Structure formats: C-alpha cells, structure tokens
Amino acid sequence: MNCAEFQRILPDIIDEGHTPEQEAHLRSCYICSNLISDLTAISREAQLLQASEEPSPRVWNSIEIALRREGLIRQPLRDSEVPPPSRRWNLAWLLPVAAALLVAFGVIAHQRGMSRQTAQQSPVTPISESSLAHPSVDDQVLLEALGTHSPTMRVAYETNLRNVNAYIHDAEDQANADPNDEEARQSLMNAYQEKAMVYEMALNRSLP
Amino acid sequence: MKRARRAACLAAGVVLITAILAAGETRKEFRFTVGPRATVSIINQYGPVSVKPGAGSQVVVTATLYSDKVEIDQGQSGSRVNVLSHLLPGATAETGRVDYEVAVPSDASVTLHSMTGPLRAEKLHGDVTLEGATANMDVRDISDAHVHVKTLNGPVTLTNIRDGHVEITSVTGDVMLVSVSGPWVQVNSSSGRISYDGDFGNGGEYLLTSHTGDIEASAPPDASIDVTARSVKGKVENDFLLEPKHTPFVIKAGSAFAGTLNKAASSVKLLSFSGKIHLKKR
C-alpha cells in the first residue's frame, strides 16, 4: 500500500480502525503516521471543545474566515449546511484548523477562568491544561512531526513553545485575577497570538 | 626573499580557494514587468534576501545559488510576482542556500521569508512583510506603509519608519525601533528585549508588550504622550514628570505609572509580566 492509497481511505481508517496492511504502512511511513496522529489529536480535542462552553459567534466567524482564506470553503457555512467530508486529504488543511483550534482554546480557557472566578469568588486561580508551560498534546504532535524532519528544528520549536506557553500561563493568571482588567486581556490575546504564530511558522514553513 | 615567497603562496592560495568557491556558484537573473502597486513574494529557506527600490516598473531578482540541491521556481500573474527557493532531496542549510538581491518599484508590496536570513528592506512605500526563524531583520526608510514582522528568535531592527502601521511579533528575538512613528505601532515579544527610541509621533497608538523581556523607551522632553506602564512582577522606572491621570487599575509605586506629557497626542502602553520597564528622557 502506498501513501496515495492510504490517504484516499483515511476517513474510513479513522472511523473504523486499521487493517494489518494499513498498520504495516503506518509503521513504515512517518508522513502517514504523523497524519494519523494529527487527525486523532484534533478529533480528540474537538470532542473536548464540543463538551465545553459554546464559544461566541466571533470564534466561528474567525474559523470561517481562515478556511475561506485558505480556499477550503467557498460558500458561507451554516449550521444546517455542513458539507460532506472530503475524501482527498492534504496536510495543508491542518494549518487553518490548528490556528482555529488555538483561538477557540484561548477564548474558552479564558471564559472558563473568568466564570469560575466570578462564581467561586476564590483567590485560587484555575489553570487550564492548554496554558501549562509544558508542551500540550497538540504541541507534542507538532514537535514529533518536526523532529522526524529535523531534530535541531524540534529543539528550537520546543524552546519557543515553552516560552509562549509560559507567557499564556502567566497572562491567564493575570486575567483571571481581575477579569475587568483590559491590559491583562490584551496580554492574554498577545500570548495566544504568539502561539498561533509559532504553529503557523511550523506548519507553513518548517514542515515539508 | 622568504617573506615575499610566502606572501606569493598565500595570494595564490586565496585566488585558488576563491576560484573553487566561485565555481560552485550559479548566478541567475529574473526580470518581470509589473503595474503600479505590485506584490512581490520571495520565499527562501536558507540565505539572505535584500530588497531595494529599482528604476521603472521592473522587478529584478538576482539569485546566487551555491549548489544543484536547490532550484528557483518563479512566476508572474499580472502584477503579482512569486519567487521560491525549491529545495531538492538532500539539501542542507549550506547547499540549499540562495542569496537574493531584489529591486522593485518603490510602491510595491513585498513579502520576504527566510529561516536563517538576514532579511533587509529599505526605501519603499509599499507594505513590507518579513517572516523568519533565526533571521536578522532590518527594515529602514519606509513611509506610508504597513510593516509586519514575525520572528521566532531573530533580532529585528526598524529604522526611520514614518506613518507606518507596524506590527512585530517575536518570541525571543530582541526588537529595536529607532525613529518609528505612525498611527499604529505594536510590538509583542515573549522574552525578547524591546527598545524604542523616537518621539512617538503625533496621534498614534503605541503598544509594546512582553512576557519576561525588558522594555526601554526613550523620548525627547517635548514628546506628546498619554502613557501607561505596568509590569506585574518587574520594576518600572520613569524619567519624566507626568501629569497624573485616572487609571482603571491601582497604581503600585515601582510597578506601574500612568500620566500625560504635553498635549498627550499619542497613546503609549508599555506592558510586561516580569520584564523591567524604563521610560527614559532623551
């Protein structure tokens, strides 16, 4: 089985699991193996998003704008008009999806922090998983993909991700401490902007 | 006599090495005729890109290649020009290197990318977008344009940018702005140092933010600013005697200050989590 054949049946593989032939291809091909890891991680994170608080319409707008800019959709998406999943897979679509997920995570994590702070009136600041200074699941997937391509690049990106994760962590703490603090919200937005930039550079420029 | 012979040998060696190196180089030139406000994109994995204004309505791209592990893909669609260094299997940072020198009409918008750089753009009044990982970035003498810079670790220097819409995002690279003014100037760095030396123009928004990087801004006594500076865990210093102003947060001496100077034409925000902030009088 070659990569083209494998990627043609990718949706079925994700839904229904691997056959021994597909498993053998996955073991021998790091590109398809990374693709499967990416898709599984995104699918898992998407389920978490679904279970959490509904993001504001602005988040969906941003996602739609990013997808349209990438040329992945042409007609405006409505809730009832979700297009059927494409059978032609390409790594390029990961870029807007990853960026959109990052934005959505940022907004949800921030909203959760603010609502908990108000409800509990507790001085303990909640820290969401996405904001820890250590690499998250998404970060690990990205770093693995980069590491397969170039170990040096992986180290460089790991350092950068640690920096931006620490930035997000501290900015979230600050914003949670005073949800009305405009400058703290600005810092949090800037921190997420940095993380989005690191992902964009990695996916768009550093991966083959 | 011995010394003369040694000098002759050395000179011969230098000539020989230069000849060997030059033999591995290939120089290519591409010319494109474009209309007003053309857009030019140069995507280079490894090596410098330098853009200057040229004569007439021509885009001239001179590329120096150092091996056959890289080739140049180029194309034009109307007034949009794309040039890409296409790395072939087995290319490394050395063999995949391409040096670009580009001349564009001064109203052209340029997008430059290089992982290693350096990247340089000067004397243009079209938009400038630079993107790199470790590349040194130098942008100077730009007016009436957007200047957008994204870097992971490379240092960024902007000099003499007038009426600019400036946005810089850096993770660990230092950012230096000299005589930069415009309606919107934003620098966002995680741990890079940010320094600003200028007069903050007349009526712009300046937002310099960092996580752990220090922020230093120098301005003349006649600067017209409404300034807010705040570091959650770092020290804050101010050399000016500011008119106090109301702030939505509590001012803690040594960690924040806010006030106006002269007519307060421009808004200046200096924000950091744990970096030091210093507003210096020039």
Side-chain angles (χ1 to χ4, degrees), chain A residues 149 153 156-157 159-171 173-174 178 180-184 186-187 189-194 197-198 200-202 204-206, chain B residues 43 45-46 111 113 115 131-133 149-153 167 169-172 186-191 207 209-212 228 230 232-233 248-249 269 271-274:
Chain A
H149 181 53
M153 205 176 280
Y157 273 98
T159 310
N160 285 305
L161 281 170
R162 271 186 202 285
N163 264 303
V164 294
N165 285 341
Y167 192 179
I168 290 170
H169 180 199
D170 288 336
D173 272 0
Q174 200 191 343
D178 181 0
N180 296 322
D181 187 336
E182 193 193 330
E183 269 99 36
Q186 177 73 56
S187 295
M189 232 157 62
N190 289 349
Y192 273 107
Q193 188 189 352
E194 292 226 333
M197 180 191 75
V198 174
E200 184 191 331
M201 245 183 230
N204 211 8
R205 305 286 185 213
S206 299
Chain B
I43 309 294
Q45 281 294 312
Y46 305 112
T111 299
H113 170 88
M115 298 294 280
E131 195 180 284
V149 178
K150 287 180 181 179
T151 178
L152 298 180
N153 317 116
E167 282 186 22
T169 309
S170 153
V171 180
T172 62
Q186 179 180 15
V187 181
N188 176 21
S189 173
S190 179
S191 59
L207 176 59
T209 59
S210 79
H211 178 225
T212 58
T228 301
R230 188 177 167 199
V232 178
K233 292 193 172 169
F249 58 90
K269 285 186 180 176
L271 309 173
S272 180
F273 182 76
S274 59

Side-chain angles (χ1 to χ4, degrees), chain A residues 5-7 12 32 36 46 51 56 63 66-67 69-70 76 79 88 92 112 117 122 133 143 146 158 177:
Chain A
E5 288 165 349
F6 185 86
Q7 289 176 18
D12 302 333
C32 290
I36 285 281
S56 77
I63 293 170
L67 291 171
R69 199 179 298 140
E70 290 298 319
D79 290 345
R88 299 184 65 183
R112 274 179 168 179
Q117 181 81 13
S122 158
L143 291 172
L146 287 163
E158 193 165 10

Side-chain angles (χ1 to χ4, degrees), chain B residues 159-178:
Chain B
T159 311
N160 195 26
I161 311 293
R162 294 283 157 212
D163 295 318
H165 184 289
V166 177
E167 282 186 22
I168 300 172
T169 309
S170 153
V171 180
T172 62
D174 293 345
V175 178
M176 186 157 78
L177 309 183
V178 181

Side-chain angles (χ1 to χ4, degrees), chain A:
Chain A
M1 172 173 266
N2 61 27
C3 292
E5 288 165 349
F6 185 86
Q7 289 176 18
R8 227 178 356 254
I9 51 168
L10 202 48
D12 302 333
I13 295 171
I14 288 169
D15 291 342
E16 294 157 21
H18 319 145
T19 64
E21 188 190 10
Q22 291 154 0
E23 194 67 53
H25 178 74
L26 271 180
R27 272 198 299 274
S28 65
C29 173
Y30 77 87
I31 294 172
C32 290
S33 163
N34 283 343
L35 188 55
I36 285 281
S37 305
D38 289 343
L39 289 170
T40 311
I42 287 168
S43 158
R44 193 170 49 239
E45 299 301 340
Q47 280 168 7
L48 289 177
L49 277 177
Q50 201 177 13
S52 65
E53 195 175 337
E54 182 70 13
S56 77
R58 273 180 57 193
V59 174
W60 298 119
N61 280 344
S62 307
I63 293 170
E64 187 184 333
I65 289 163
L67 291 171
R68 197 171 301 151
R69 199 179 298 140
E70 290 298 319
L72 295 174
I73 57 169
R74 286 187 180 78
Q75 296 298 321
L77 276 177
R78 293 184 206 289
D79 290 345
S80 58
E81 292 176 7
V82 179
S86 167
R87 294 227 156 210
R88 299 184 65 183
W89 292 80
N90 185 321
L91 271 174
W93 69 273
L94 278 173
L95 176 62
V97 171
L101 276 173
L102 270 174
V103 173
F105 268 132
V107 171
I108 289 165
H110 183 50
Q111 282 175 349
R112 274 179 168 179
M114 278 173 60
S115 58
R116 266 187 236 171
Q117 181 81 13
T118 318
Q120 296 172 359
Q121 292 185 337
S122 158
V124 180
T125 309
I127 300 169
S128 71
E129 198 183 333
S130 66
S131 68
L132 291 173
H134 302 292
S136 66
V137 176
D138 287 343
D139 296 351
Q140 289 291 2
V141 170
L142 181 75
L143 291 172
E144 272 168 33
L146 287 163
T148 324
H149 181 53
S150 156
T152 324
M153 205 176 280
R154 182 199 157 108
V155 173
Y157 273 98
E158 193 165 10
T159 310
N160 285 305
L161 281 170
R162 271 186 202 285
N163 264 303
V164 294
N165 285 341
Y167 192 179
I168 290 170
H169 180 199
D170 288 336
E172 273 189 341
D173 272 0
Q174 200 191 343
N176 287 336
D178 181 0
N180 296 322
D181 187 336
E182 193 193 330
E183 269 99 36
R185 287 204 304 269
Q186 177 73 56
S187 295
L188 183 57
M189 232 157 62
N190 289 349
Y192 273 107
Q193 188 189 352
E194 292 226 333
K195 186 150 186 182
M197 180 191 75
V198 174
Y199 264 69
E200 184 191 331
M201 245 183 230
L203 292 167
N204 211 8
R205 305 286 185 213
S206 299
L207 284 171

Side-chain angles (χ1 to χ4, degrees), chain B residues 34-39 53 56 104-110 123-127:
Chain B
V34 293
R37 298 191 158 275
T39 58
V104 300
S106 63
D107 66 347
S109 293
V110 295
K123 296 186 176 75
L124 301 174
H125 53 266
D127 296 343

